[in-house]
Amino acid sequence: MLELTTIKDGKDGTLQIADSFRNIPFSIKRVYFIKDLKKESIRGVHAHKKLEQIAFCLKGSFVLRLYNGKRRLKRFVKADGSGAYIPPMIWHSMEGFSRNCLIAVFASDVYDECDYIRDFSEFRRLTK
Ligand code: TYD
């Protein structure tokens, strides 16, 4: 989990900042948002060959499951300014969304379907 820089401005609210190479270990080339989630929704269920991503929960919470071919990890991600780093070659899924869950994902590159591994047996083969 990575932390954003937080600046509290009293009655004027709070700033949370994601700087590349300070809070985020890569140069951000794409940001996308995930919304309209239901508690039975499931997202992800794939790995990336090279892409690095960080998922921030802006509202609500969700469960992130990660698998590197050997070990499984389950993280509860909530809107506390911390983001879940998803490195390359990690099979991941997002589920257990709370009501009104809003997610922002920062990615190290633009969208490229060729970077996806969507077939679990292919992922298992590549991580053997
Ligand atoms: P996908 O990455 O599988 O979504 P998630 O990981 O959130 O479950 O993408 C779903 C669809 O949206 C797929 O057809 C590709 C498309 N897409 C883009 O065109 N650009 C993007 O930046 C993203 C993230 C997805």
Side-chain angles (χ1 to χ4, degrees), residues 78-106:
K78 53 185 196 299
D80 61 359
S82 63
Y85 178 53
I86 307 169
M89 294 308 287
I90 297 287
W91 192 263
H92 58 279
S93 62
M94 296 153 122
E95 57 186 61
F97 301 100
S98 70
R99 220 163 55 85
N100 290 331
C101 180
L102 175 62
I103 297 167
V105 182
F106 299 159

Side-chain angles (χ1 to χ4, degrees), residues 2-6 16 56-57 78-83:
L2 303 174
E3 300 294 319
L4 293 179
T5 303
T6 298
Q16 291 199 295
F56 284 97
C57 193
K78 53 185 196 299
D80 61 359
S82 63

Side-chain angles (χ1 to χ4, degrees), residues 37-39 57 59-63 76-77 95-102:
L37 292 155
K38 303 196 167 20
K39 65 174 189 298
C57 193
K59 247 195 304 186
S61 62
F62 67 94
V63 172
F76 186 67
V77 185
E95 57 186 61
F97 301 100
S98 70
R99 220 163 55 85
N100 290 331
C101 180
L102 175 62

